[in-house]
Amino acid sequence: TIPFVEWLGAKRNGMFDRVTEPVSLKPETPSHPVCRGMAAFTYSDEFYPTFIFTQDARHIVPILRAKLPKEKPVDHLLAWTFERPNGGRSFTFTGLHYLEGFNQPQLKKMLLNAIAWTSGLTVPAEGVFVGPAPR
């Protein structure tokens, strides 16, 4: 079996828990490097809202949370970082199922910040630069 909980801090619980709808998102932990330079945004995607998290939750930092689904809204963690006890780092985001997501500047900012952070690089105070979309 793949040790998702040890690598990512959580594993998906179930296969039929998809929620496809636009959600309002804002950085949950603005002080974390992955949130640097990010602002609130609305984003439509397919999200997987149910996870089983590690017992050692102090190593998990919430990045994005949203109320899903619209009918009976419940807070769900949609993105988080995890610092493994051995020193490794990971970032998980339950969205980005559609290429259109790469046109969302705040999402690109979060992903670039996450790549830098998981690599051990310093994330600039304003976040990693997100240039204009290619033509």
Side-chain angles (χ1 to χ4, degrees), residues 41-77:
F41 64 104
T42 299
Y43 172 62
S44 183
D45 202 333
E46 178 178 293
F47 297 103
Y48 301 144
T50 53
F51 286 85
I52 297 172
F53 286 89
T54 179
Q55 298 291 342
D56 194 6
R58 65 191 163 113
H59 295 284
I60 292 177
V61 175
I63 300 300
L64 293 176
R65 186 182 308 271
K67 291 194 179 295
L68 301 172
K70 288 181 194 174
E71 302 83 39
K72 297 169 103 178
V74 175
D75 267 347
H76 290 283
L77 195 55

Side-chain angles (χ1 to χ4, degrees), residues 91-107:
F91 168 78
T92 303
F93 176 52
T94 72
L96 202 61
H97 290 89
Y98 309 112
L99 290 175
E100 180 66 27
F102 287 110
N103 290 329
Q104 169 45 257
Q106 297 303 315
L107 184 59

